[in-house]
Amino acid sequence: MTAVKLAWRNVFRHTRRTVITAAAISVGLSAMILMNSMMNGVDKLASQNIIDYETSHLEIFADGYYREEGVFPLDTIIDNPGLILKKIEQISNVKSVAPRVKFQASISNGIDELPVIGVGVDIKKEKEVFKIVNSVVKGSFLQHEGDVLIGKDLSRDMDLDIGSYLTIITKDRNGTYNAFDLTVSGIINTGHPLFDRNAALISIEQAQELLAIFDGVTELSVRVRDDRNLVRTKERLVQAVGKEYEVYTWRELNAAIFEISGFKRMAQFMIALVVVIIAAVGIINTMLMAVMERIPEIGTLKAMGFNNQGIVKMFVYEGGIIGIFGSLLGCLIGLLLSLYLVHFGIDMSAMFGNADIVYPMKFIIVGEIDYWTVLSVFLFGVFVSVFVTLWPVRKATRLQPVDALRHV
Amino acid sequence: MVETINLYKDYKVGKVLFPALRGVSVKIEAAEFTAIAGPSGSGKTTLLNIIGCLDVPTKGDVLINGTNTNKLSSKEKATLRKNEIGFVFQTFNLIPVLTAYENVEIPLILLDMTQDKKRENIISILEEVGLGEYINRRPNEMSGGQQQRVAIARALVKNPSMVLADEPTANLDSTTAKEILGLMKELNEKHKTTFIFSTHDQLVMDYAQRIIRLRDGKVVADKTKKSEGPGDSS
């Protein structure tokens, strides 16, 4: 018989009470784990979408372009990408580079007109850097000039299908309106709302002609071999291309999104924390009852020579045992729910519909489990259980042994 | 070995001061079998509690083996109780989730003793109190007399120099009470452990070698018998 064993027996003196308390802790903790998995999944998917469709790992602009990126300034573009392309490709970690021309435009099907972002892509290089070619769900990728690729949402909104004609209209570099008639060659489904809903992809040559920018491009997108040390690759790129260009990592380009993400994490964590606090109140209540009804027993133990420290230790073990049970259960439930998310995901699109969202992903949430978080949540649960036990026990041990014995 | 010097104890009940002890001075030698007798409210329990360091006197001193307990911290008092004093309570006060064996084991948790030695002591004391066959019973599976035997075994297992028993038979029928007293007496003679118990029951008093009578918090009589024996009623 040790103090731990004694605590163990006492924990199961009131099995139902113990189970309810442990269940309360486990609900709180499983909510924390599930939310963490969801947020990780959302972030991972968003990051993947950004890298695979929007920016790749690194992007190079002409100096000054990025500050005004929102208005697609055609007077600060990379006029002669050939000058630096070779230098970029020579950097060891660079896998490939693709030029793109992005511009504001609108498309018309003859009846309706919609604003879109035009994206001129290098048909050959595009495949080496981005994954748009893999997301063609109908028809084929761009084959030649005059082809246009649109997202499945845009095709539905504009009632366009393979072979349909559309007109793309934009202002060129000189401020003159220019337009081309194009044939829809393929429909893409990327999961990135920008490309599925708001973009029209054409060949880069056609875009350059449309905008009257000759060989100019708005950006060079760089895919690297190993993305673990992007900052170093970025530094080497900066050195290679010189001061007339700016280099950004995909994270820098999407700082706002990760800020939102951090904020959401914080908010969700707070919600989970509230649940845990409620659970903690439950434990306090249980331990308070356990202590109160056993004050004469505390007196007996004191009479036998237990000092306050020994008695506090015993009750702390009790809180710890309940905490370990509840936390194990909570982590298990949280993990199982997260695993469901990882394997099946939740389709939230019914809830959000076609709402205009800034997050670069569709609302199919796929979980991503971070086992370190699970471990720290477990330790947190045990810590809280032990911590809240201290208060009622300390109170009880302050009584004179005789008062404790007489207590009813 | 136990000496109280001019002990006073006042209880505050609401705004009224109730004096439980009013100048109690007694000296009890080692291996005595002493009853503290008196009607309820006479201060018996208070005296025992103060001797056992469960309560503190308002005034006066208690010397145990020459140590003034007033000068001890609560931790030192706990150590004194751990090593020197065994308690037997009117309401037995066994831990309900533990078996007889485990209840007796509790005082030994605190002592530096090998597992084998602990086991040997527990089994031997439980056999001495006549519970050799009940070591795995829980309190709710035992009669009152059996529970009090467990409590006595628990008080004695660490081989203390004294056992304090507050009304040990008050919750028992007279036959069982006699048995328990007989057992205590036997253990007192065998182990030379000092027994001090309180009672208001004449039957129980008859077992005592020495009777200290209290009334209204004062010693009114202190009688040591020349010859002792159970059932020797006066």
Side-chain angles (χ1 to χ4, degrees):
Chain A
M1 174 67 51
T2 60
V4 176
K5 208 169 148 195
L6 192 56
W8 179 268
R9 291 282 177 84
N10 280 322
V11 163
F12 291 101
R13 192 187 281 200
H14 299 288
T15 314
R16 194 166 54 175
R17 192 200 283 169
T18 303
V19 167
I20 289 171
T21 311
I25 306 167
S26 63
V27 168
L29 297 192
S30 57
M32 278 176 117
I33 290 171
L34 185 62
M35 279 180 182
N36 181 265
S37 305
M38 267 166 88
M39 292 312 298
N40 287 342
V42 166
D43 276 0
K44 192 186 172 194
L45 204 56
S47 306
Q48 212 56 54
N49 276 345
I50 287 168
I51 294 170
D52 287 344
Y53 303 116
E54 195 176 338
T55 66
S56 197
H57 291 118
L58 293 148
E59 281 207 305
I60 301 164
F61 306 106
D63 185 32
Y65 179 84
Y66 183 58
R67 274 192 297 273
E68 291 172 65
E69 193 205 28
V71 296
F72 302 96
L74 289 176
D75 45 355
T76 46
I77 60 171
I78 303 170
D79 281 315
N80 195 347
L83 284 178
I84 53 168
L85 220 46
K86 274 262 143 39
K87 292 183 199 164
I88 298 166
E89 280 166 343
Q90 271 163 9
I91 290 169
S92 58
N93 195 25
V94 171
K95 189 167 163 255
S96 37
V97 191
R100 274 181 168 183
V101 173
K102 280 189 190 153
F103 56 99
Q104 264 176 326
S106 54
I107 56 169
S108 161
N109 60 1
I111 304 162
D112 295 316
E113 193 173 313
L114 269 185
V116 293
I117 291 167
V119 184
V121 301
D122 184 308
I123 294 173
K124 255 195 276 169
K125 289 279 186 186
E126 178 76 12
K127 299 172 185 171
E128 294 170 19
V129 175
F130 293 102
K131 293 198 173 152
I132 285 181
V133 66
N134 300 333
S135 67
V136 177
V137 288
K138 208 168 173 189
S140 57
F141 192 66
L142 300 172
Q143 303 292 330
H144 27 67
E145 277 189 39
D147 284 352
V148 63
L149 220 50
I150 57 172
K152 75 170 188 354
D153 295 334
L154 188 63
S155 82
R156 192 190 55 224
D157 292 348
M158 296 284 282
D159 199 16
L160 294 167
D161 207 345
I162 307 296
S164 305
Y165 290 101
L166 65 81
T167 309
I168 189 162
I169 308 141
T170 187
K171 267 193 214 171
D172 69 13
R173 195 180 213 173
N174 310 314
T176 317
Y177 280 98
N178 205 350
F180 276 135
D181 285 332
L182 303 166
T183 317
V184 176
S185 77
I187 290 167
I188 54 175
N189 182 14
T190 60
H192 191 316
L194 173 73
F195 288 93
D196 289 352
R197 206 170 283 165
N198 287 321
L201 277 72
I202 58 177
S203 76
I204 197 162
E205 293 82 7
Q206 193 139 34
Q208 285 164 338
E209 199 184 333
L210 191 62
L211 298 168
I213 54 175
F214 306 102
D215 288 335
V217 301
T218 56
E219 59 223 66
L220 292 169
S221 303
V222 178
R223 184 168 275 265
V224 299
R225 287 175 215 281
D226 178 2
D227 65 356
R228 276 171 300 186
N229 215 334
L230 272 186
V231 177
R232 211 169 62 205
T233 309
K234 177 190 161 177
E235 281 161 11
R236 297 185 62 185
L237 275 172
V238 170
Q239 272 182 349
V241 298
K243 279 201 173 128
E244 289 164 49
Y245 303 91
E246 291 173 346
V247 184
Y248 296 98
T249 66
W250 65 274
R251 254 181 203 285
E252 290 167 335
L253 293 170
N254 293 282
I257 280 161
F258 289 102
E259 233 168 74
I260 298 173
S261 154
F263 186 71
K264 276 171 80 168
R265 259 167 199 278
M266 203 60 203
Q268 302 227 4
F269 184 77
M270 294 311 266
I271 295 170
L273 196 65
V274 169
V275 181
V276 170
I277 288 171
I278 294 169
V281 171
I283 309 171
I284 292 184
N285 191 39
T286 303
M287 289 319 289
L288 202 64
M289 275 206 278
V291 171
M292 285 308 176
E293 72 186 6
R294 266 158 54 203
I295 283 182
E297 210 171 295
I298 291 175
T300 308
L301 289 173
K302 279 190 161 191
M304 284 190 283
F306 276 80
N307 55 27
N308 289 349
Q309 211 188 334
I311 290 164
V312 168
K313 207 161 84 181
M314 210 178 74
F315 278 94
V316 162
Y317 288 151
E318 284 183 38
I321 289 169
I322 296 177
I324 288 171
F325 263 112
S327 302
L328 270 181
L329 190 68
C331 289
L332 198 71
I333 293 170
L335 274 177
L336 286 177
L337 291 174
S338 300
L339 279 174
Y340 178 86
L341 269 189
V342 170
H343 289 290
F344 302 104
I346 299 181
D347 191 349
M348 307 282 271
S349 50
M351 192 193 283
F352 292 94
N354 275 340
D356 230 358
I357 47 166
V358 282
Y359 236 60
M361 59 171 287
K362 288 282 180 61
F363 275 89
I364 293 171
I365 294 177
V366 175
E368 168 86 5
I369 300 168
D370 176 17
Y371 289 94
W372 282 111
T373 306
V374 176
L375 182 69
S376 31
V377 164
F378 173 78
L379 293 176
F380 176 74
V382 177
F383 172 78
V384 168
S385 316
V386 168
F387 188 75
V388 299
T389 306
L390 284 173
W391 175 68
V393 180
R394 280 189 169 281
K395 230 178 107 166
T397 51
R398 275 195 212 114
L399 291 171
Q400 280 288 337
V402 65
D403 296 322
L405 280 165
R406 233 185 263 138
H407 198 277
V408 267
Chain B
M1 73 146 294
V2 181
E3 192 177 356
T4 71
I5 304 162
N6 209 16
L7 275 186
Y8 282 82
K9 178 70 184 180
D10 298 328
Y11 286 114
K12 223 174 178 175
V13 183
K15 281 183 179 171
V16 186
L17 217 57
F18 174 77
L21 296 179
R22 296 192 284 189
V24 174
S25 299
V26 292
K27 199 169 175 181
I28 296 164
E29 297 299 335
E32 272 190 31
F33 196 70
T34 302
I36 296 173
S40 62
S42 60
K44 310 181 293 286
T45 302
T46 308
L47 181 60
L48 277 184
N49 285 340
I50 292 174
I51 291 174
C53 301
L54 297 179
D55 205 353
V56 285
T58 312
K59 213 168 82 183
D61 293 300
V62 178
L63 303 180
I64 294 176
N65 296 329
T67 310
N68 189 335
T69 60
N70 263 355
K71 301 223 166 80
L72 301 177
S73 69
S74 71
K75 208 169 178 175
E76 286 166 330
K77 282 181 189 168
T79 308
L80 182 76
R81 288 196 297 265
K82 176 178 87 179
N83 295 321
E84 303 294 340
I85 308 172
F87 286 93
V88 176
F89 301 98
Q90 181 182 337
T91 48
F92 324 137
N93 291 22
L94 300 178
I95 312 273
V97 287
L98 303 181
T99 62
Y101 180 93
E102 290 161 341
N103 264 292
V104 175
E105 190 180 2
I106 286 183
L108 300 184
I109 292 175
L110 302 168
L111 299 179
D112 206 12
M113 202 183 269
T114 63
Q115 284 304 320
D116 288 345
K117 181 85 178 111
K118 280 184 189 173
R119 190 166 174 79
E120 198 188 308
N121 285 7
I122 295 163
I123 300 283
S124 112
I125 195 74
L126 277 168
E127 276 169 0
E128 266 186 78
V129 300
L131 291 179
E133 288 164 30
Y134 298 96
I135 60 171
N136 288 323
R137 294 255 178 116
R138 299 236 172 144
N140 61 6
E141 297 161 344
M142 288 187 279
S143 70
Q146 287 169 334
Q147 289 189 51
Q148 197 60 305
R149 282 166 191 266
V150 176
I152 291 169
R154 181 176 67 180
L156 277 168
V157 70
K158 61 189 178 184
N159 205 11
S161 54
M162 74 174 149
V163 171
L164 303 174
D166 184 15
E167 303 263 11
T169 57
N171 281 1
L172 302 174
D173 62 75
S174 61
T175 317
T176 315
K178 274 187 200 169
E179 282 171 22
I180 291 290
L181 257 293
L183 174 67
M184 282 166 61
K185 183 88 177 120
E186 200 185 307
L187 292 166
N188 158 257
E189 279 160 9
K190 190 174 166 197
H191 295 276
K192 299 290 168 218
T193 311
T194 315
F195 270 79
I196 308 172
F197 57 96
S198 67
T199 185
H200 59 266
D201 183 350
Q202 189 58 46
L203 179 95
V204 172
M205 273 177 252
D206 291 342
Y207 279 82
Q209 174 190 40
R210 177 182 175 192
I211 302 172
I212 298 168
R213 286 187 186 277
L214 290 183
R215 185 176 292 271
D216 299 332
K218 282 181 184 163
V219 178
V220 291
D222 188 346
K223 221 168 41 180
T224 306
K225 269 191 226 167
K226 301 242 158 46
S227 66
E228 74 252 10
D232 180 15
S233 54
S234 47

